[in-house]
Amino acid sequence: MAAPVKPQKVTANGKDSWWAVPAIADPDAPTATEINALSGLNVTCFLLAEQEGVTGNTSKTELARLLCETSTTEGIDTTVWSMADLTGVFDPQAAAGADGKKAWALFKDGFTGYLVRRQGVVSTTDAAVQAGDFVDVIPVETGPATPSKTGTDASGIYAFTAAVAITGTPSFNVEVDPTS
């Protein structure tokens, strides 16, 4: 018998990056050019650390019992994909186009496209997706962003929240086209 395979443990703190990308031709084979395009935005440093990822809720159905059976089994039914609302920070007094308002400007009237998540790579503000990286590509539509703040005491910062609807089946852990 072969020895068991033991995967490496990869810590997650500070190693999730998110991009908002308006268009990807093939979500199963995105390109670095599409993800890093100027029409999108690396929103990693705008999102709060509590930002959760995608969840899938797959329902099961009880299959009909045959006359000759005394028990029955289950089958897999539909999967509902969901994601927590986006909560990002912004500077309400920053000039239009300033860094402090870039995410707000992208989400303020709603956004349709893709959220792309790269895991397992240290997040930095200038870290572009590279060909050969593995990413999750999530088709989304957001509602218009609503300005708010994270708290009313000294720890509060100005933020916005945008509702997120997943509009198709996510492509998880797909390789960024190595030729891009």
Side-chain angles (χ1 to χ4, degrees):
M1 178 181 277
V5 175
K6 181 180 178 187
Q8 175 183 346
K9 294 178 183 177
V10 179
T11 59
N13 188 26
K15 294 181 183 172
D16 276 11
S17 297
W18 289 89
W19 287 261
V21 181
I24 294 178
D26 181 358
D28 291 324
T31 68
T33 301
E34 290 170 326
I35 297 169
N36 298 320
L38 291 176
S39 57
L41 183 64
N42 181 335
V43 295
T44 303
C45 289
F46 290 96
L47 300 178
L48 296 181
E50 294 81 18
Q51 182 66 46
E52 295 180 24
V54 176
T55 58
N57 182 5
T58 303
S59 59
K60 297 183 253 180
T61 184
E62 185 177 314
L63 300 177
R65 185 176 60 84
L66 301 175
L67 186 58
C68 62
E69 295 176 323
T70 59
S71 62
T72 189
T73 56
E74 293 180 320
I76 297 296
D77 199 10
T78 60
T79 300
V80 176
W81 299 104
S82 60
M83 182 174 177
D85 294 346
L86 291 177
T87 302
V89 299
F90 83 111
D91 179 354
Q93 295 303 315
D99 286 350
K101 274 199 176 150
K102 285 187 178 182
W104 165 256
L106 185 65
F107 293 108
K108 73 179 181 124
D109 296 323
F111 170 82
T112 299
Y114 297 87
L115 290 175
V116 175
R117 174 179 59 184
R118 180 181 62 191
Q119 297 177 298
V121 176
V122 175
S123 303
T124 59
T125 56
D126 60 351
V129 167
Q130 303 295 316
D133 284 350
F134 287 85
V135 297
D136 300 329
V137 180
I138 306 140
V140 298
E141 178 180 4
T142 74
T146 303
S148 61
K149 52 188 170 184
T150 62
T152 57
D153 61 4
S155 69
I157 56 176
Y158 288 102
F160 65 84
T161 302
V164 177
I166 296 179
T167 59
T169 301
S171 297
F172 293 115
N173 201 241
V174 294
E175 186 175 12
V176 175
D177 185 342
T179 63
S180 64

